[in-house]
Amino acid sequence: MLQQLVYYLPQDTIFTRIKCLPTLNVLKRTFILYTGQQYKMKDLSQPFASGYKPSEVEQGWYPWWESRGFFRKHGASKKFVMVLPPPNITGHLHLGHALTCAVQDAIARWHQLQGDEVVWVPGCDHAGIATQAVVERYLWATQGVTKHQLGRERFVNEVWKWKEEKGTVILDQLKRLGASLDWDKFVFTMDKHMSEAVTAAFIQLYDSGLLYRKKSLVNWCCSLQSAISDIEVDHVYLTGPTELNIPGYEKPVTFGMMYDFAYRVNNSDEELVVSTTRPETMLGDTAVMVHPEDERYSHLHGKCVFHPFRKDVIPVITDAVVDPQFGTGVVKVTPGHSQEDFDVGQRHNLQQLTVFDEKGKLTDIVPEFKNLPRFAARQAVIEALTEMRLYHGSKPHPMMVPRCSRTHDIIEPLLKPQWFIRCSDMAAKAIDVVQKGELHIYPETYKKTWNEWLENDIDWCVSRQLWWGHQIPAYCVTSEDGEFWVAARSRDDAKSKVAEKEGISESSIVSVCQDEDVLDTWFSSALFPFAAFGWPRHTDCLEHLYPTTLLETGHDILFFWVARMVMLGLHLTQELPFKGVLLHGLLCDAQGHKMSKSRGNVIDPIDVIEGASLKVLKDRITSSGKNGTLSSEETSQALQKQTSNFPNGIPECGADALRFTLCSYNFKNKLLSVDVNSIEQNKFLGNKIWQTVRFLLASMEKVPNGIECASRVNITQRSADLSTMDKWIMSHLAQLVHNANQNFVTYDLHHITLGFVTFWQNHLCDTYLESIKPVLNEGSCEARSSALSTLWTCVDVGLHILSPFMPFLTEELYQRLPRYAKKCESIMQCDHPKTEEFMCWNDQELEESVNHLLLVAAAFRAIKATYNITHSRVHGSFVCLNSHLNTVLVENLEVVKKLGRIASLTAIDKNTSPPTSSSASTTCDSTIVYLHLKGVIDPKQELVRLRKKMSKVQKEETKITSIITAPGYIERSPAHIQDTHQRKLASLRAQLEQLLFIVQNLEKM
């Protein structure tokens, strides 16, 4: 097994990968190189750093983990198998990929800690259309050549070079993210065994009658000169006239207009006016259509109209699809360039004329317009119609414009001979397995979407007019008896199949030509869960690891990928490819905008890990524009918007903070807004964890035989020795363990991360650590040992809970944390804390009592803040009418003092008068606290300060009041502005009320 070594390379360093990969220029990146050596554990002999530095902590662990084989646990009774949705090789990963990686790795690592045999298969997708488009632009920008100048073979070689460069960058990004993938099983969708699987699947589908070839309308991109899938079409809504830049046109083209022109009824002076957003397509009209019950045109049923350019006649047909209220109620029918019209043409047996060729130029259907670009033809057709007095003008019209997501060209519905898969029977089976509960979809709300898509499923066009991809294993066999298409493994196989099926001799076959098209990338992707393990061969991996356990991916490809995997898996292997589907939402930026290159808000995970200045970000966009990866329009837009998106660049946050943040969102929502600032906050959380461990180690050094405290507290042996606060934090620890295990099962990772933050920051650091400081400084040996053992337990268990989310930090701290018992080689080798082991610590009654104690401490802090008292040289007292709570308070006076930040605390009887010159606060029905202010503040000075503050607040309150009471305010002001003003006014009046209360108290002193 090849291992890896992390090298930090300076700018412009040239490096070569093992296994004959090409040299690659590196720009301020950290790459992982493969070598054959085994790695020792990271050297931790240096002193514990004073602060958390992600770049130092994350260095060195990944190659050691992989070298030691920690990503795979053999011989376990349970298996957990997943495939990583193979990212495209078209460039760097973005945060959407990082979300997939973070979620899947957390789940995989949890199963590892559960003792399961985890197999998580990595891969990369050849991404036919996307890759070919990018490489074509790259070659033009860098070498000034087109694919046609190179020829198919040389062009495909260039794409392979691109793949070797970009594919390895993607793998390095996955390693930097800490993904515990089974690299021995890496799959590229153009690998030899994947090609064998594609061929076998295609032939099986053909032989079973599910594959057929026919001429049909496809989404044609004239720039790519290929059909594309529905998911690669962006539907842009226009409210009216809009100029769009179209590839190949020097000037923008106007869309969002409706054009009216007339057809003359044959042998009559009567005209039928039709409306269209694409007048140029009228050259291919083969009918005009009216509603059968529209009495205005009943006299024209069965008549014909004269086509002014083709000089022929076309019929007037009736169909209920027409809306009589829209326009004139007369519709033109162009079956060769509209899916709706194609369906009408099928019903009425209309001719299908092709107006545009593959490059978007007019065919010779009307010779005078031949070779005109389609949108230039629009104006030419309008001018010609005007001369014939058939043009009736135009008007603004809202419309949906289909654009290619790769090139931004306008999609042209085009009739092409294509291969299709019949999906209806397979779709029915896919619906059935979900309804029976054999396949689980999380969240369940997507079951409805699943059913709706599959119930309305149409046959799948799998042909793509590209050079990069799996060439379709279908052959056109020409013989003396005719032309035959057949799916076969080779030319010889095709000849023998046709000869046998058609009953002809092979000697009569004149030629055998393989289809030049390639298969839709989604076809090979749909085979991934079983082809990755060797299908169609009967391998040990296929038998042992298939079907997989879980498929986690984005909800946007539920149909395009997930449903097709289920359909083909059931048909080709007779098994579901996975038992569950977990769907995550789409990432947006902090403003809720979808991430796109043109917005300049696409984030490279490595930039978050290492940090990147605004200049570096802009230089990268400029470089992408120069090498053709981005168009000039995309480059310009991205540069404009990047300054507003990242004015200070992206701060260094580390992989752990990025992973933790991504898992902190409820990723089951449809949209997730990611803010880089929140990632930085979780880096600060990492520092909080780091400092907690430093405090623990320093405290253990001060206690004789401190190493004996480095073991988990045992409830049967030590519960009697623990203080109230020790038991309180252990109760919260039990809930943390329960919460983690419960929510890993339901895949609600955001509940785990929130629970961890609440436990570590609020319960452990802000409360428990502060409460035990007096014990650690002045307590007995037994009390200090109990506190340290409890703190060590919380830290140790907390690190294990955190490990699936922050693997680098937790590994580093696990190795540095002393342990009385034997330590596992890695935290990855440990068991995850089990709920049943900790729930014995759960004590809700104790928690309620301590919560009351904490409320009392908080009340003292609040009073101090009210009177601007920043020191702790102040005394307090309390009255508690509840005997149980009073006992808890009396037994924990030191805790309340410490947390309340006061010098002393006494309990007073309910019949005793409260101290003079004190401020009171009621924490609940049974307890009142008093802060003694005599000698602590100067009432006169404090009154001067507070009256100034009151005056300022009063002026602001008067200002807001005058605004909202002004004439016409309600009519003129938007609802959200009024709401803001009302909330501001309520806040100001609450401040005034509090200030008045304090002033009245001070005046009495």
Side-chain angles (χ1 to χ4, degrees):
M1 172 179 171
L2 290 174
Q3 306 303 331
Q4 354 171 67
L5 177 63
V6 177
Y7 285 100
Y8 290 87
L9 303 175
Q11 184 174 351
D12 300 327
T13 298
I14 303 294
F15 80 95
T16 305
R17 274 181 171 268
I18 308 301
K19 298 180 72 175
C20 304
L21 299 187
T23 57
L24 174 67
N25 245 335
V26 182
L27 178 62
K28 296 180 181 178
R29 288 283 195 233
T30 303
F31 287 92
I32 300 174
L33 308 189
Y34 293 94
T35 74
Q37 73 182 85
Q38 296 289 315
Y39 289 93
K40 294 181 180 179
M41 194 187 79
K42 182 176 178 179
D43 181 12
L44 299 177
S45 60
Q46 297 299 315
F48 204 164
S50 60
Y52 169 56
K53 296 181 180 178
S55 59
E56 294 180 3
V57 169
E58 293 172 7
Q59 183 180 356
W61 288 118
Y62 197 95
W64 179 66
W65 288 334
E66 193 179 5
S67 171
R68 298 294 299 133
F70 292 149
F71 296 161
R72 184 79 180 272
K73 189 174 290 186
H74 296 276
S77 59
K78 287 185 178 180
K79 293 191 296 290
F80 180 81
V81 185
M82 258 190 325
V83 296
L84 177 73
N88 294 347
I89 60 166
T90 48
H92 294 74
L93 299 183
H94 52 65
L95 279 193
H97 297 107
L99 171 65
T100 300
C101 179
V103 170
Q104 292 190 17
D105 194 41
I107 295 170
R109 287 176 180 270
W110 180 73
H111 278 280
Q112 282 268 14
L113 297 174
Q114 294 292 96
D116 298 343
E117 178 185 358
V118 175
V119 180
W120 185 22
V121 180
C124 267
D125 195 288
H126 65 280
I129 290 175
T131 303
Q132 179 159 319
V134 168
V135 175
E136 282 191 64
R137 289 204 300 263
Y138 172 77
L139 290 173
W140 180 252
T142 58
Q143 301 178 30
V145 295
T146 66
K147 67 176 182 180
H148 296 289
Q149 289 173 318
L150 289 175
R152 183 164 188 160
E153 185 177 349
R154 287 180 61 194
F155 176 77
V156 169
N157 287 336
E158 288 292 333
V159 182
W160 274 107
K161 290 179 184 177
W162 175 273
K163 176 263 172 185
E164 297 297 347
E165 176 182 321
K166 296 300 179 183
T168 54
V169 170
I170 288 170
L171 303 189
D172 292 327
Q173 287 180 297
L174 290 170
K175 294 170 187 287
R176 292 295 305 280
L177 286 165
S180 55
L181 290 154
D182 196 336
W183 292 107
D184 285 349
K185 291 182 170 52
F186 177 83
V187 178
F188 177 52
T189 54
M190 289 282 283
D191 285 344
K192 182 180 178 182
H193 81 273
M194 284 295 295
S195 295
E196 292 174 357
V198 166
T199 299
F202 191 90
I203 292 173
Q204 282 191 38
L205 290 166
Y206 179 85
D207 290 344
S208 61
L210 294 178
L211 253 173
Y212 64 94
R213 191 173 189 268
K214 75 168 185 177
K215 201 172 186 181
S216 183
L217 279 181
V218 295
N219 298 317
W220 187 264
C221 175
C222 297
S223 294
L224 292 173
Q225 292 186 43
S226 174
I228 63 175
S229 65
D230 290 343
I231 197 175
E232 290 156 325
V233 178
D234 293 334
H235 296 277
V236 182
Y237 180 71
L238 306 179
T239 57
T242 307
E243 290 188 339
L244 300 177
N245 291 314
I246 309 300
Y249 292 82
E250 293 182 0
K251 296 181 179 179
V253 178
T254 300
F255 294 85
M257 295 291 292
M258 182 70 80
Y259 304 87
D260 296 338
F261 71 93
Y263 277 113
R264 289 197 178 101
V265 178
N266 196 37
N267 298 324
S268 170
D269 293 331
E270 187 175 358
E271 290 184 344
L272 287 181
V273 177
V274 299
S275 300
T276 179
T277 58
R278 297 198 61 190
E280 64 275 14
T281 64
M282 66 84 62
L283 301 176
D285 286 357
T286 55
V288 292
M289 182 168 55
V290 297
H291 195 279
E293 297 177 3
D294 191 338
E295 295 181 356
R296 292 174 295 174
Y297 306 110
S298 60
H299 66 289
L300 295 176
H301 292 185
K303 303 284 187 177
C304 292
V305 297
F306 182 74
H307 196 289
F309 296 110
R310 298 203 311 265
K311 309 302 182 185
D312 59 7
V313 293
I314 58 177
V316 178
I317 63 174
T318 61
D319 198 297
V321 74
V322 178
D323 179 4
Q325 306 303 318
F326 180 77
T328 62
V330 184
V331 179
K332 62 189 285 294
V333 184
T334 319
H337 291 280
S338 163
Q339 186 60 56
E340 294 81 5
D341 291 1
F342 180 83
D343 295 338
V344 170
Q346 293 290 93
R347 291 197 295 271
H348 295 270
N349 197 27
L350 297 177
Q351 187 181 5
Q352 300 164 348
L353 299 179
T354 299
V355 179
F356 311 112
D357 64 16
E358 295 177 351
K359 295 182 180 180
K361 294 185 177 182
L362 267 70
T363 62
D364 60 359
I365 190 170
V366 178
E368 63 188 275
F369 295 119
K370 184 181 179 181
N371 290 329
L372 271 180
R374 52 187 168 154
F375 299 118
R378 175 177 297 179
Q379 187 59 34
V381 168
I382 290 173
E383 290 175 0
L385 288 170
T386 303
E387 289 180 9
M388 299 176 188
R389 297 184 179 181
L390 296 175
Y391 183 60
H392 286 236
S394 63
K395 53 184 175 292
H397 179 71
M399 63 181 293
M400 197 75 76
V401 177
R403 304 193 76 176
C404 175
S405 63
R406 309 293 178 187
T407 65
H408 303 303
D409 202 352
I410 303 299
I411 294 301
E412 188 62 56
L414 207 61
L415 281 167
K416 300 289 292 182
Q418 307 279 288
W419 287 96
F420 290 84
I421 298 177
R422 291 186 175 91
C423 295
S424 56
D425 290 345
M426 292 191 292
K429 292 177 182 177
I431 293 172
D432 192 49
V433 292
V434 171
Q435 289 178 341
K436 289 181 177 178
E438 296 171 15
L439 176 64
H440 300 280
I441 298 178
Y442 311 96
E444 291 192 352
T445 50
Y446 284 104
K447 285 183 179 180
K448 182 180 178 182
T449 306
W450 177 270
N451 291 338
E452 288 174 350
W453 270 343
L454 292 173
E455 285 169 357
N456 299 295
D457 191 29
I458 59 175
D459 290 354
W460 174 15
C461 174
V462 293
S463 298
R464 295 294 180 267
Q465 290 63 47
L466 302 170
W467 288 355
W468 172 245
H470 295 282
Q471 191 170 352
I472 295 177
Y475 297 83
C476 180
V477 180
T478 306
S479 75
E480 298 167 356
D481 300 296
E483 187 177 277
F484 309 96
W485 280 94
V486 65
R489 298 183 182 279
S490 64
R491 284 176 170 80
D492 290 340
D493 186 30
K495 288 173 66 176
S496 63
K497 273 190 165 185
V498 169
E500 180 181 350
K501 181 181 179 181
E502 302 299 330
I504 61 175
S505 66
E506 291 191 25
S507 60
S508 69
I509 294 175
V510 178
S511 65
V512 180
C513 299
Q514 185 175 359
D515 194 326
E516 291 189 353
D517 292 348
V518 300
L519 285 165
D520 180 9
T521 301
W522 293 109
F523 185 84
S524 54
S525 298
L527 310 178
F528 197 82
F530 42 98
F533 298 115
W535 186 91
R537 290 173 284 124
H538 298 287
T539 64
D540 290 340
C541 277
L542 188 66
E543 182 179 351
H544 182 64
L545 301 175
Y546 183 80
T548 63
T549 311
L550 180 71
L551 187 283
E552 193 280 336
T553 190
H555 71 74
D556 55 321
I557 53 175
L558 177 62
F559 172 72
F560 294 100
W561 189 40
V562 181
R564 288 167 175 173
M565 282 188 285
V566 171
M567 289 192 293
L568 292 188
L570 286 170
H571 181 77
L572 298 171
T573 72
Q574 288 72 56
E575 290 186 276
L576 278 167
F578 28 75
K579 300 165 187 173
V581 177
L582 176 61
L583 300 169
H584 67 246
L586 299 180
L587 283 186
C588 301
D589 62 18
Q591 288 74 43
H593 298 138
K594 183 179 177 182
M595 291 189 175
S596 67
K597 294 174 183 177
S598 60
R599 285 189 183 274
N601 59 0
V602 174
I603 301 175
D604 185 335
I606 304 302
D607 288 337
V608 179
I609 293 172
E610 298 180 353
S613 67
L614 180 60
K615 182 179 183 303
V616 167
L617 297 175
K618 287 192 169 185
D619 287 348
R620 192 175 301 137
I621 288 179
T622 303
S623 176
S624 295
K626 289 179 179 178
N627 67 25
T629 304
L630 292 179
S631 67
S632 57
E633 182 183 358
E634 288 175 326
T635 302
S636 176
Q637 290 178 359
L639 288 172
Q640 288 177 9
K641 294 179 180 179
Q642 201 159 56
T643 300
S644 60
N645 290 329
F646 311 110
N648 301 313
I650 298 175
E652 177 194 351
C653 298
D656 281 335
L658 173 59
R659 291 166 55 108
F660 189 88
T661 303
L662 293 173
C663 290
S664 296
Y665 297 106
N666 183 359
F667 56 78
K668 295 178 184 177
N669 290 337
K670 285 193 173 182
L671 296 175
L672 312 173
S673 293
V674 177
D675 187 354
V676 172
N677 292 329
S678 64
I679 305 174
E680 189 176 26
Q681 288 302 312
N682 283 320
K683 181 182 78 170
F684 300 149
L685 170 66
N687 187 61
K688 189 90 167 179
I689 297 165
W690 186 271
Q691 299 301 339
T692 305
V693 176
R694 283 189 72 222
F695 176 84
L696 171 61
L697 298 182
S699 300
M700 289 175 67
E701 290 178 358
K702 298 175 183 178
V703 177
N705 300 318
I707 187 63
E708 294 180 3
C709 301
S711 60
R712 293 182 183 178
V713 292
N714 188 314
I715 194 168
T716 59
Q717 298 174 355
R718 308 197 52 183
S719 60
D721 300 328
L722 300 184
S723 69
T724 298
M725 295 306 293
D726 294 337
K727 296 174 185 177
W728 174 82
I729 195 63
M730 287 301 296
S731 182
H732 280 290
L733 182 65
Q735 292 175 39
L736 175 68
V737 173
H738 172 69
N739 178 64
N741 287 316
Q742 182 182 52
N743 286 293
F744 262 121
V745 171
T746 58
Y747 306 121
D748 292 311
L749 306 191
H750 62 294
H751 290 322
I752 306 173
T753 54
L754 176 62
F756 180 85
V757 172
T758 301
F759 173 80
W760 199 283
Q761 285 193 332
N762 301 351
H763 300 322
L764 185 63
C765 294
D766 294 350
T767 302
Y768 180 71
L769 265 182
E770 293 301 315
S771 74
I772 64 171
K773 284 181 179 178
V775 176
L776 297 178
N777 291 331
E778 303 167 3
S780 65
C781 290
E782 292 78 8
R784 282 189 289 172
S785 295
S786 295
L788 284 176
S789 291
T790 303
L791 178 57
W792 188 95
T793 301
C794 291
V795 168
D796 181 60
V797 173
L799 292 179
H800 284 77
I801 297 292
L802 183 63
S803 178
F805 304 99
M806 289 188 167
F808 297 104
L809 175 61
T810 53
E811 183 70 79
E812 178 102 7
L813 295 178
Y814 174 81
Q815 299 294 349
R816 290 183 178 275
L817 193 65
R819 188 174 301 271
Y820 189 62
K822 184 180 179 181
K823 177 182 286 190
C824 292
E825 187 175 2
S826 164
I827 196 170
M828 291 188 68
Q829 298 296 96
C830 299
D831 293 331
H832 192 271
K834 292 180 172 55
T835 300
E836 56 270 22
E837 294 177 1
F838 286 88
M839 286 311 291
C840 56
W841 290 100
N842 188 37
D843 190 337
Q844 292 299 311
E845 184 178 345
L846 174 68
E847 286 188 31
E848 290 177 9
S849 298
V850 174
N851 286 344
H852 182 73
L853 179 154
L854 299 179
L855 285 174
V856 170
F860 283 120
R861 294 196 303 272
I863 298 172
K864 287 179 62 181
T866 299
Y867 291 97
N868 200 29
I869 302 171
T870 57
H871 57 79
S872 299
R873 300 183 304 276
V874 59
H875 305 279
S877 55
F878 68 89
V879 176
C880 183
L881 304 180
N882 184 300
S883 59
H884 171 69
L885 295 179
N886 187 70
T887 302
V888 172
L889 287 168
V890 170
E891 291 177 351
N892 293 276
L893 291 178
E894 290 299 318
V895 173
V896 181
K897 277 171 47 183
K898 180 65 179 175
L899 298 179
R901 298 169 193 162
I902 56 178
S904 69
L905 179 62
T906 56
I908 58 178
D909 187 79
K910 62 180 180 180
N911 297 318
T912 304
S913 299
T916 57
S917 301
S918 64
S919 181
S921 176
T922 303
T923 62
C924 65
D925 292 341
S926 62
T927 307
I928 303 175
V929 302
Y930 300 95
L931 189 69
H932 307 175
L933 299 177
K934 187 175 182 179
V936 177
I937 63 171
D938 184 334
K940 292 182 180 179
Q941 289 184 1
E942 193 66 13
L943 280 169
V944 171
R945 183 184 72 84
L946 290 174
R947 283 171 178 152
K948 284 183 180 179
K949 187 174 181 179
M950 279 186 70
S951 176
K952 184 178 179 181
V953 175
Q954 184 66 63
K955 286 180 181 178
E956 187 67 19
E957 191 268 349
T958 302
K959 178 182 175 182
I960 299 294
T961 301
S962 65
I963 291 173
I964 67 175
T965 56
Y969 168 79
I970 295 177
E971 292 78 13
R972 291 194 310 267
S973 302
H976 71 279
I977 296 294
Q978 294 186 41
D979 181 60
T980 300
H981 284 157
Q982 289 295 338
R983 283 188 281 108
K984 178 69 173 176
L985 188 62
S987 173
L988 292 170
R989 287 174 175 172
Q991 289 182 55
L992 283 172
E993 186 177 345
Q994 183 185 30
L995 288 168
L996 180 61
F997 174 76
I998 298 170
V999 166
Q1000 289 172 346
N1001 280 348
L1002 288 172
E1003 287 173 343
K1004 296 175 184 177
M1005 292 185 185

